[in-house]
Amino acid sequence: MPAFRNLSAIGRALLPALPAPSPAETWRAPLGACVGLTLCALCVLAMQAAHGGLWFLVAPLGASAVLLFAVPNSPLAQPWSAVVGNTVSAVVAVAVLQVVPPPFDFGIAVGGAIAAMMITRSLHPPGGAVALLAVIEAETVREIGILFALVPVGATTTLLVLSAIVYNRLTGRVYPFRQPHSQPGAERRLGLSSEELGAILGRFNQASNVGVADLARLLAAAEHEAAAHRFDQTRCADLMTKDLITVSAETPLTRAVWLFQKHAIKSLPVVGADGALLGILLQGDLIEALTLGRPVRRSPNARRLRRPLRDLLAEDAMQDAATTVTEDTPVGALLNRLASQAVQVVPVMRGPKVVGIITRSDIIGLLLRGSAERKAA
């Protein structure tokens, strides 16, 4: 039985590692490669007619097309990797051909190309094929000289990259992929900086396979799913405080003080005559308004003139309720808002009307309740 299990494990290891592609992707990527290489071929034909035989297509462009159109999010497929990787590989191969005799030139050219790509942070697998092709076609490459790295390799790779940028964006793929600093939302959610994410990739030797931005997106999605499982799909309607104590915009702050004291609450929804939510009055803002003796509402139209305390109203100290949820919103979706966006209270809405509120204390209570249940189990 152990031997059978070992054979079974070996068999599974030989099966496809990639997931099945979506139906749309099975035509999107091949069509893109077809379009990109056709444009390169047309350009080469035009340049041959104008300038002679220096222009021609190199076979490794086919491998570049696979990366640029099928896996455009890969660090190996980004413009710098493709253009610089192919070009420096060609430069190394031309140099090797000048000093290394066959058959040693094959291995040294490819090995040198890999080293050059790693040093220039432009690792691009087709670059190794460019170096090998240069050695195979040694006579032609020696005749062209160092120009081989620029024309045809660099120029045709650049044209292929430009076509990939246009095609991928037209078909809904982001290419070139966004750099980490343009995704602050993912970092705030994870609580990890780009440097920390990069260190994780380096620790597991995955920096060449997964980009920092990709890792941030994957971890954020995993965190969201984990939160949903942790709270057992609890909805906001299941956790919210339903018997709300509300005030109007014209409620005096002295009345709000009395409500805070009587009911031991920390926030008061401010609603209109039709029940629509206008804002949230927090204890801290109320105390600040009463201490300063003037409105503290964060609004460019708010009147900031000092007035008697009895004249200060709820609208003078309330905050706009920028963050709201519906009754069906999963509680797990609130973690980021409460933890990293300095939100203390989240109103729960039914259309324009507020039907409940959820506070940080409610979330903490749910966490503790789940912890006790898991410990008992």
Side-chain angles (χ1 to χ4, degrees), residues 7-19:
L7 290 175
S8 177
I10 293 174
R12 287 194 301 273
L14 298 177
L15 293 176
L18 293 174

Side-chain angles (χ1 to χ4, degrees), residues 243-266:
D243 298 326
L244 295 180
I245 300 169
T246 63
V247 295
S248 69
E250 294 77 24
T251 299
L253 287 187
T254 52
R255 167 70 178 175
V257 170
W258 182 82
L259 290 173
F260 276 120
Q261 292 177 335
K262 177 176 176 60
H263 300 284
I265 54 179
K266 297 181 179 180

Side-chain angles (χ1 to χ4, degrees), residues 306-321:
R306 183 176 294 274
R307 303 204 300 272
L309 296 183
R310 64 178 179 274
D311 293 339
L312 291 176
L313 307 178
E315 65 178 355
D316 295 325
M318 70 181 186
Q319 292 187 7
D320 292 331

Side-chain angles (χ1 to χ4, degrees), residues 1-361:
M1 291 301 293
F4 177 78
R5 285 196 295 270
N6 290 337
L7 290 175
S8 177
I10 293 174
R12 287 194 301 273
L14 298 177
L15 293 176
L18 293 174
S22 65
E25 194 65 14
T26 57
W27 65 261
R28 192 204 66 81
L31 181 60
C34 177
V35 170
L37 288 174
T38 299
L39 288 175
C40 289
L42 291 174
C43 180
V44 165
L45 290 175
M47 297 303 292
Q48 282 179 346
H51 302 287
L54 185 61
W55 285 79
F56 56 91
L57 287 178
V58 293
L61 278 184
S64 293
V66 174
L67 290 172
L68 268 58
F69 294 96
V71 284
N73 286 355
S74 170
L76 304 177
Q78 300 313 298
W80 175 269
S81 296
V83 176
V84 177
N86 281 351
T87 302
V88 299
S89 296
V91 170
V92 169
V94 171
V96 168
L97 287 176
Q98 307 303 316
V99 296
V100 180
F104 305 104
D105 49 356
F106 291 96
I108 293 177
V110 174
I114 294 174
M117 287 189 288
M118 295 181 72
I119 291 172
T120 57
R121 297 169 60 188
S122 61
L123 196 61
H124 187 61
V130 168
L132 186 60
L133 174 68
V135 177
I136 293 175
E137 300 292 339
E139 292 186 9
T140 301
V141 172
R142 285 195 184 98
E143 181 180 348
I144 298 174
I146 196 62
L147 282 178
F148 173 74
L150 302 178
V151 179
V153 174
T156 53
T157 303
T158 300
L159 181 59
L160 187 64
V161 166
L162 291 176
S163 65
I165 291 174
V166 175
Y167 182 84
N168 281 317
R169 289 184 176 272
L170 289 177
T171 54
R173 300 297 294 272
V174 178
Y175 181 81
F177 195 66
R178 291 180 294 269
Q179 294 300 313
H181 69 268
S182 64
Q183 294 199 10
E187 291 189 8
R188 284 197 301 266
R189 176 169 178 77
L190 294 165
L192 298 174
S193 66
S194 297
E195 291 74 15
E196 290 171 320
L197 292 173
I200 292 173
L201 290 174
R203 189 186 312 157
F204 291 93
N205 297 319
Q206 294 296 314
S208 299
N209 300 319
V210 182
V212 170
D214 267 337
L215 179 62
R217 290 197 313 155
L218 292 171
L219 290 179
E223 184 187 39
H224 185 275
E225 290 296 323
H229 287 299
R230 184 176 181 84
F231 290 111
D232 297 324
Q233 303 298 331
T234 303
R235 301 178 307 142
C236 289
D238 302 324
L239 186 64
M240 68 183 186
T241 300
K242 300 178 182 178
D243 298 326
L244 295 180
I245 300 169
T246 63
V247 295
S248 69
E250 294 77 24
T251 299
L253 287 187
T254 52
R255 167 70 178 175
V257 170
W258 182 82
L259 290 173
F260 276 120
Q261 292 177 335
K262 177 176 176 60
H263 300 284
I265 54 179
K266 297 181 179 180
S267 63
L268 284 169
V270 182
V271 299
D274 57 353
L277 181 67
L278 302 178
I280 295 291
L281 181 60
L282 301 176
Q283 276 190 353
D285 294 329
L286 180 145
I287 293 172
E288 182 180 357
L290 294 176
T291 301
L292 297 177
R294 60 177 173 81
V296 295
R297 188 180 181 194
R298 279 63 172 171
S299 170
N301 298 322
R303 295 177 297 166
R304 298 300 184 91
L305 299 177
R306 183 176 294 274
R307 303 204 300 272
L309 296 183
R310 64 178 179 274
D311 293 339
L312 291 176
L313 307 178
E315 65 178 355
D316 295 325
M318 70 181 186
Q319 292 187 7
D320 292 331
T323 300
T324 61
V325 295
T326 66
E327 295 172 281
D328 293 327
T329 301
V331 170
L334 293 180
L335 293 182
N336 181 47
R337 306 181 194 185
L338 293 172
S340 63
Q341 297 180 5
V343 175
Q344 300 182 35
V345 178
V346 178
V348 183
M349 309 297 294
R350 183 184 300 157
K353 296 184 178 181
V354 58
V355 294
I357 59 171
I358 294 179
T359 66
R360 292 183 180 182
S361 298

